Amino acid sequence: MNTIPSVDSILMNPILRNLLNSFPRPFVLKAVRRFTEKCRSDILGGKTAEYNFSDCELLSEISSELSSFFEKRMKRVVNATGIILHTGMGRAPFADSVIRALEDMSGFVNIQADLEHGKRSRRDGFAQELLCELTGAEAALVVNNNAAATMLVLNTFAYGKEAIVSRGQLVEIGGSFRLPDVMDKSGVMMKEVGTTNRTHLADYENAVSDNTSLIFRVHPSNYRISGFVHQPSLPQICGLARKKGLIVADDIGAGSLLSFSEFGISDEPLVGDSIAAGADLVLFSGDKLLGGPQAGIILGRKSLIEKIRKNPLSRILRVCKLTISVLDATLMLYFDKKRLLSESPFYRALSFSSEELRMRAESIAGALSAVHPDFKFTVEKDFSYMGSGSMPMDAIESYVVSVKSFHTPDKLAALLRKYQVPIFSRISNDRVIFDMRTLLTGEERFIIEAFESIKK
């Protein structure tokens, strides 16, 4: 049996010396050791008589293994799925002005340092000012996501007490995240009222007891019940709460600051409307219809927000300087609607007309046909969707390029995901589909280059 060289001697190979310049040494060593163990196992098992350890092709297995492992790290991808707020791809993409704000984070920053007095300040102080100006709220608090905001509000105001919620609002969102479980972990006694499809104001009123602290209203987000349905309005619920001395927390989910009717989409609850209707606290996500970073935003009465700040969970669930920077820069765009619609990739995706999308699809299809004349590229009318539990019933008209090739759709989609800038498509009717609405400006070239790399 030939001798398997030492790890150190294998590392002397020029290929592996170069790997040490590209990958952390511990990972290279682990890959080499796995390789030598495989060689030893093959030789002992009679699969081969010997290995040539100077064979560059053989040693390239180690390079391929390392490259495959480090490809898992987060990187830019192309979203051609037609899902605008795609959870797997970071939901709302950031505007250039937001990216520039992140560049300012390269050194020390005044996240909790008051520039005028040199004293400690609140890390979300500027964001609070912006949010209050945009929504009419008295105060605001930013935590790491809306689930955290929900738990924090419930734990602060209803720990050991009852929180009333309609049965039609006991939602489950992605990852088997269920509202009843959150209430339980928050130390709250959940009191269900009404039925799945119909809840009346009298149901809330009849459920109030001496141990009731809060009425929790939840926007259903990722599902809809239609037909024989009823829910009391928020002003009605707030009026009842005032009479009974209760707090109303309105979890509106996606967190829209603007009406979406101008894009031909049914409106989600507006943050400002909930504040104006009398909700004591309003909760929503930062990375959905707001178009910002992952965050949970709590707006409402100043006295209540201050009480939430004093909850120890508030520190546990607080956000970092990068989140604050992205949120601040995103909110600044809302003070100039024209700028918001032109600079925000999220709003640009909604603003494309059908004609613009058709022309874009025809341009890409023509370029791809020149690259791969043996593939069939077809421009078709189709539909995009908002995604991330927002507007689940709204199909947004779009144009797509569909691809029929000698590869199976699954194989072609996998090849595109393995391109240096991974391209995510969708599969429909035995074809790979590229939706024009979710392609960012200039990303056409990545698709064309990816097809150039696919062997004929």
Side-chain angles (χ1 to χ4, degrees):
M1 183 180 74
N2 64 329
T3 302
I4 297 175
S6 67
V7 170
D8 287 340
S9 62
I10 293 176
L11 287 174
M12 294 301 293
N13 185 283
I15 292 178
L16 295 184
R17 285 206 303 272
N18 289 334
L19 288 181
L20 288 170
N21 294 326
S22 303
F23 302 106
R25 184 179 180 85
F27 289 93
V28 177
L29 290 174
K30 286 181 181 179
V32 171
R33 286 172 182 141
R34 280 193 294 269
F35 176 70
T36 56
E37 285 301 316
K38 176 180 177 295
C39 294
R40 184 176 291 105
S41 178
D42 286 349
I43 292 170
L44 292 175
K47 294 181 180 180
T48 182
E50 61 178 343
Y51 273 106
N52 179 4
F53 288 94
S54 63
D55 186 344
C56 290
E57 184 176 346
L58 193 64
L59 292 175
S60 67
E61 290 182 27
I62 300 173
S63 176
S64 296
E65 179 187 335
L66 284 165
S67 296
S68 295
F69 175 76
F70 281 95
E71 280 297 305
K72 298 175 183 177
R73 72 189 188 278
M74 191 162 57
K75 60 165 63 176
R76 177 179 180 170
V77 302
V78 173
N79 176 13
T81 66
I83 306 299
I84 300 171
L85 297 174
H86 198 298
T87 299
M89 286 173 255
R91 293 182 175 167
F94 297 149
D96 289 343
S97 58
V98 174
I99 301 303
R100 289 194 295 272
L102 282 173
E103 291 173 354
D104 288 340
M105 299 293 102
S106 60
F108 294 106
V109 296
N110 61 317
I111 184 170
Q112 286 185 253
D114 182 273
L115 297 180
E116 183 177 356
H117 303 101
K119 296 181 179 180
R120 186 181 180 89
S121 61
R122 288 177 174 167
R123 62 177 51 210
D124 59 353
F126 185 62
Q128 176 177 239
E129 295 290 337
L130 299 178
L131 285 163
C132 291
E133 186 66 30
L134 288 166
T135 66
E138 290 182 7
L141 175 65
V142 182
V143 292
N144 66 349
N145 62 20
N146 198 39
T150 299
M151 185 173 188
L152 188 53
V153 166
L154 290 170
N155 182 264
T156 302
F157 298 107
Y159 182 81
K161 297 182 179 180
E162 296 172 348
I164 301 174
V165 62
S166 167
R167 283 189 175 89
Q169 298 172 3
L170 294 177
V171 297
E172 175 182 318
I173 60 174
S176 299
F177 181 91
R178 295 180 170 183
L179 180 60
D181 297 335
V182 178
M183 286 196 160
D184 180 60
K185 292 296 183 183
S186 304
V188 173
M189 289 179 279
M190 182 178 70
K191 200 165 190 178
E192 304 171 42
V193 298
T195 63
T196 303
N197 60 318
R198 291 176 69 82
T199 301
H200 298 275
L201 189 64
D203 294 322
Y204 285 96
E205 186 164 15
N206 293 336
V208 176
S209 72
D210 291 340
N211 198 36
T212 303
S213 175
L214 180 143
I215 296 176
F216 199 66
R217 197 180 84 136
V218 185
H219 182 56
S221 293
N222 55 0
Y223 86 103
R224 292 291 185 273
I225 301 174
S226 60
F228 189 57
V229 298
H230 178 78
Q231 288 283 346
S233 68
L234 182 58
Q236 289 176 318
I237 293 174
C238 291
L240 173 64
R242 297 289 178 273
K243 186 170 69 173
K244 299 292 185 178
L246 305 176
I247 293 170
V248 174
D250 190 21
D251 183 347
I252 62 173
S256 175
L257 294 184
L258 294 180
S259 169
F260 286 87
S261 58
E262 65 182 274
F263 305 113
I265 308 170
S266 61
D267 276 334
E268 289 278 292
L270 295 178
V271 177
D273 287 352
S274 289
I275 295 293
D280 299 294
L281 296 164
V282 181
L283 297 67
F284 57 96
S285 296
D287 57 347
K288 294 183 180 180
L289 299 182
L290 183 67
Q294 176 183 298
I297 298 169
I298 309 171
L299 303 179
R301 290 198 279 130
K302 187 175 181 179
S303 60
L304 299 181
I305 295 294
E306 289 305 312
K307 190 171 182 179
I308 296 172
R309 286 186 186 278
K310 294 176 182 178
N311 187 323
L313 286 176
S314 182
R315 182 174 180 85
I316 295 169
L317 300 172
R318 74 180 185 178
V319 292
C320 72
K321 60 185 178 182
L322 299 181
T323 300
I324 291 295
S325 176
V326 171
L327 180 61
D328 288 349
T330 300
L331 291 171
M332 287 293 290
L333 293 173
Y334 278 86
F335 290 91
D336 184 341
K337 186 176 178 181
K338 183 177 179 180
R339 183 184 171 205
L340 174 70
L341 297 182
S342 65
E343 291 189 21
S344 166
F346 167 60
Y347 279 101
R348 280 206 306 268
L350 293 175
S351 301
F352 287 128
S353 68
S354 291
E355 181 63 14
E356 287 175 308
L357 296 173
R358 182 188 64 78
M359 292 175 63
R360 195 178 191 191
E362 290 178 349
S363 175
I364 294 176
L368 290 173
S369 295
V371 169
H372 258 300
D374 48 343
F375 287 9
K376 183 179 181 181
F377 300 94
T378 308
V379 174
E380 301 171 0
K381 185 178 287 188
D382 209 321
F383 295 95
S384 306
Y385 293 89
M386 188 67 74
S388 292
S390 303
M391 306 175 187
M393 306 302 290
D394 287 274
I396 308 167
E397 187 176 283
S398 186
Y399 274 87
V400 303
V401 176
S402 73
V403 188
K404 185 75 174 178
S405 75
F406 50 75
H407 292 298
T408 66
D410 287 337
K411 173 66 174 178
L412 180 57
L415 289 171
L416 292 166
R417 290 195 305 272
K418 292 177 182 177
Y419 183 59
Q420 58 185 358
V421 180
I423 297 166
F424 284 80
S425 56
R426 71 174 186 262
I427 296 174
S428 177
N429 297 323
D430 204 34
R431 283 171 166 78
V432 172
I433 303 293
F434 300 100
D435 194 309
M436 298 298 101
R437 189 171 291 280
T438 49
L439 283 183
L440 302 183
T441 303
E443 288 188 332
E444 298 91 338
R445 67 184 178 91
F446 295 128
I447 295 177
I448 295 168
E449 290 169 0
F451 272 93
E452 288 175 344
S453 70
I454 295 174
K455 295 180 180 179
K456 299 180 181 180

